[in-house]
Amino acid sequence: MDLLNTLVDKGLRRELPTREEALAVLATSDDELLDVVAAAGKVRRQWFGRRVKLNYLVNLKSGLCPEDCSYCSQRLGSKAEILKYTWLKPDDASKAAAAGVAGGAKRVCLVASGRGPTDKDVDRVSETISAIKEQNDGVEVCACLGLLSDGQAGRLREAGADAYNHNLNTSEATYGDICTTHDFSDRVSTVQQAQAAGMSACSGLIAGMGESDADLVDVVYALRDLDPDSVPVNFLIPFEGTPLAKEWNLTPQRALRILAMVRFVCPDVEVRLAGGREVHLRSMQPLALHLVNSIFLGDYLTSEGQAGKDDLAMIEDAGFEVEGTDTTTLPQHRASAEGDADAGQDGAAAEPTATVPAPAPVDETRRDLVSVRRRGAGTDLPPNA
């Protein structure tokens, strides 16, 4: 049985591929790309049908971070000309969230820069969560506040947080190359604290930082071991003024192969197309919907995204539908709630041929695609939702 048929069969059974199989997906050629997408798409439809969950980011505190994560425009010493502001008031944050919900978002993601929250910060975010929940019936709230201290996860859960996001970002072996102010185990611990407190865990990766195929597979397998409900796949946005500004290592084809590999390794998990999709997938974004079942709507933390109305049009044009608040995202065997929509099993796997090395970095002139956020939270301009 060929590689893709094997991976489809395993995905439909929720069976983990071998590392060699995951690496082989990343090594497939551009000629095989549609075959890879079709195969991973069959697994996606088995567990999620043609539904797309929309998520909306609210940046509660922008810039001014003491951590030195090389990929981040908000890092210590960043020269990126991003918006910088301290904590939004709960009412202002709730108003920003409402714009995303009005645009179709099912989940609001509350993010704040920094190593981790103080107890006062947790109180502030708890007020924001309450305000959002009161004003938006059925909306999910995910907090992303950095490394958690003892007891903070429980307090956020009690305040109504449905989920907590903390990404692993890259493999444990190479984590020290992108950050020195905390380590890989700190991130794992925070995800585990969120799970222990009863929150849904959200944890993913950043591709395009110069990592090897083995690094990508390592971090996805580490995520599989943690078993988060949601795995955001970010593609590096090489902000000018950050150490990774020259890392333009991705093509649209490479990005799609990465998403397919994640889907095969995490077949029944919410795989979210996150930051950098417009920069690196460009006109091939609709193909990614056959691999992921979740995207961010509109803008990101410090960069501007595709217009929210264009996101909605893309989903409709590609033959998918926006997931409603009355539908449980995860398959029934993963979700505690009932009422999951049944997913179909249409689509077909196809045969791979010879493999080729990863493509060379794209030209640096593509850096003009990075658009710093100048609207929404922390400004007087309306948000993009």
Side-chain angles (χ1 to χ4, degrees), residues 134-284:
E134 288 173 6
Q135 297 170 21
N136 302 280
D137 187 42
V139 71
E140 301 173 2
V141 177
C142 178
C144 178
L145 311 174
L147 302 172
L148 294 174
S149 301
D150 290 344
Q152 290 183 331
R155 291 173 58 197
L156 289 167
R157 181 66 184 126
E158 289 172 6
D162 300 283
Y164 195 85
N165 165 261
H166 201 58
N167 296 328
L168 298 187
N169 291 329
T170 193
S171 68
E172 183 173 13
T174 59
Y175 196 84
D177 295 336
I178 65 166
C179 181
T180 66
T181 49
H182 61 268
D183 59 31
F184 189 86
S185 65
D186 292 324
R187 290 186 168 268
V188 170
S189 175
T190 287
V191 175
Q192 292 172 333
Q193 287 181 62
Q195 290 171 317
M199 287 187 284
S200 174
C202 175
S203 188
L205 65 142
I206 305 173
M209 297 189 290
E211 69 284 332
S212 67
D213 283 5
D215 290 323
L216 286 170
V217 170
D218 283 349
V219 68
V220 176
Y221 274 69
L223 289 165
R224 171 78 182 228
D225 289 342
L226 273 178
D227 196 29
D229 293 323
S230 176
V231 175
V233 181
N234 297 276
F235 300 107
L236 177 71
I237 301 177
F239 280 96
E240 289 288 348
T242 65
L244 299 184
K246 296 186 182 299
E247 292 289 342
W248 287 82
N249 302 306
L250 297 172
T251 64
Q253 296 83 2
R254 170 76 168 166
L256 288 168
R257 282 192 284 270
I258 291 168
L259 291 171
M261 185 270 287
V262 175
R263 174 55 73 198
F264 286 129
V265 178
C266 305
D268 58 342
V269 169
E270 176 190 340
V271 177
R272 184 181 308 155
L273 183 57
R277 65 176 163 98
E278 297 90 344
V279 175
H280 296 293
L281 282 165
R282 302 190 285 280
S283 63
M284 294 181 74

Side-chain angles (χ1 to χ4, degrees), residues 51 327-335 337-342:
R51 294 176 284 117
T327 302
T328 303
T329 299
L330 296 174
Q332 205 160 38
H333 62 270
R334 290 193 64 93
E338 297 182 354
D340 293 1
D342 291 330

